[in-house]
Amino acid sequence: MQVITRKFTVKEYHKMAEFGILTPEDRVELIQGEIIAMSPIGLKHAACVNRLNQLFYKRLGDKIIISIQNPIQLNNYSEPQPDLVLLKPRPDFYENEIPKSEDIYLLIEVADSTIKYDQEVKLTLYAQSNIPEVWIINLNHQTLEVYRQPQGNQYLNQQKDVKRISPLAFSEISLTSHDILGILPRG
């Protein structure tokens, strides 16, 4: 027996929220037409996102808009809520529309229990949507993964366990994995 599923569009997803079918307490995102429950945010995860927010704000200021766990629209069937996104500045701060792929400098996912999902499902979706650069911070292994040059379903440039990195759009700044993960240097 074949199971038939129904995919929801972004417009239908928004209508569900508008009519109270989905509430802010639901913590869900739309991925490839499916409504996916998001994992609870633990202390290490929250601290890492807060640390990133401060690092980028101190180094880039008003060159960017930092969007934390807010939706981005990738296509008619996907509206994920990445942990942190560096957006191109706009006077309306995206009040009039949800950011799209072309508005994104850098997208970051902080992962512990969702690492496989982020690496396999979400990363593929980000490549398909031509997000120029994605970082996955693997809290389990205390490592930074960097993905660049999207082509089709994948990123041609993939780096694991990166120790020092400059975002593609902002080569004037440099961050270490110690900065990002909050690891104190030895010695």
Side-chain angles (χ1 to χ4, degrees):
M1 182 170 124
Q2 183 179 359
V3 176
I4 299 172
T5 61
R6 182 192 189 291
K7 303 286 185 187
F8 295 101
T9 65
V10 168
K11 186 176 181 179
E12 292 167 330
Y13 178 66
H14 285 244
K15 286 282 186 195
M16 286 183 224
E18 183 182 324
F19 289 111
I21 297 167
L22 297 174
T23 68
E25 292 80 32
D26 288 326
R27 284 198 34 81
V28 294
E29 59 187 352
L30 186 67
I31 304 293
Q32 298 171 339
E34 296 179 359
I35 299 171
I36 306 293
M38 297 180 350
S39 295
I41 296 172
L43 290 175
K44 286 184 181 181
H45 185 283
C48 187
V49 172
N50 289 338
R51 190 176 302 107
L52 287 164
N53 182 26
Q54 187 175 49
L55 287 168
F56 283 118
Y57 181 75
K58 281 183 173 180
R59 286 168 172 81
L60 296 172
D62 60 3
K63 292 181 183 178
I64 55 168
I65 293 175
I66 300 171
S67 180
I68 296 176
Q69 296 163 349
N70 290 319
I72 58 171
Q73 185 177 344
L74 300 180
N75 56 44
N76 198 34
Y77 292 95
S78 293
E79 191 177 286
Q81 295 181 34
D83 287 305
L84 189 139
V85 179
L86 300 186
L87 296 169
K88 295 175 182 175
R90 282 183 25 175
D92 72 345
F93 287 82
Y94 297 91
E95 181 179 8
N96 297 314
E97 69 176 344
I98 293 174
K100 311 273 191 295
S101 299
E102 59 270 16
D103 300 314
I104 297 171
Y105 287 126
L106 170 64
L107 183 149
I108 301 175
E109 292 285 4
V110 177
D112 42 21
S113 62
T114 62
I115 188 68
K116 284 289 184 205
Y117 187 76
D118 288 345
Q119 290 170 329
E120 295 170 6
V121 176
K122 287 181 123 181
L123 191 62
T124 300
L125 184 61
Y126 296 149
Q128 291 169 345
S129 301
N130 211 31
I131 305 293
E133 183 171 19
V134 175
W135 296 0
I136 295 178
I137 298 165
N138 184 333
L139 293 178
N140 299 324
H141 294 122
Q142 294 284 287
T143 57
L144 169 62
E145 302 171 9
V146 176
Y147 300 88
R148 295 172 168 170
Q149 294 178 268
Q151 186 174 54
N153 294 336
Q154 64 182 340
Y155 283 87
L156 298 180
N157 184 327
Q158 300 182 16
Q159 302 170 58
K160 308 280 181 158
D161 200 15
V162 174
K163 301 298 182 199
R164 178 177 294 276
I165 189 75
S166 295
L168 282 175
F170 302 101
S171 59
E172 70 272 18
I173 70 165
S174 178
L175 300 171
T176 68
S177 57
H178 293 275
D179 296 332
I180 293 166
L181 292 161
I183 301 169
L184 299 174
R186 294 180 190 178

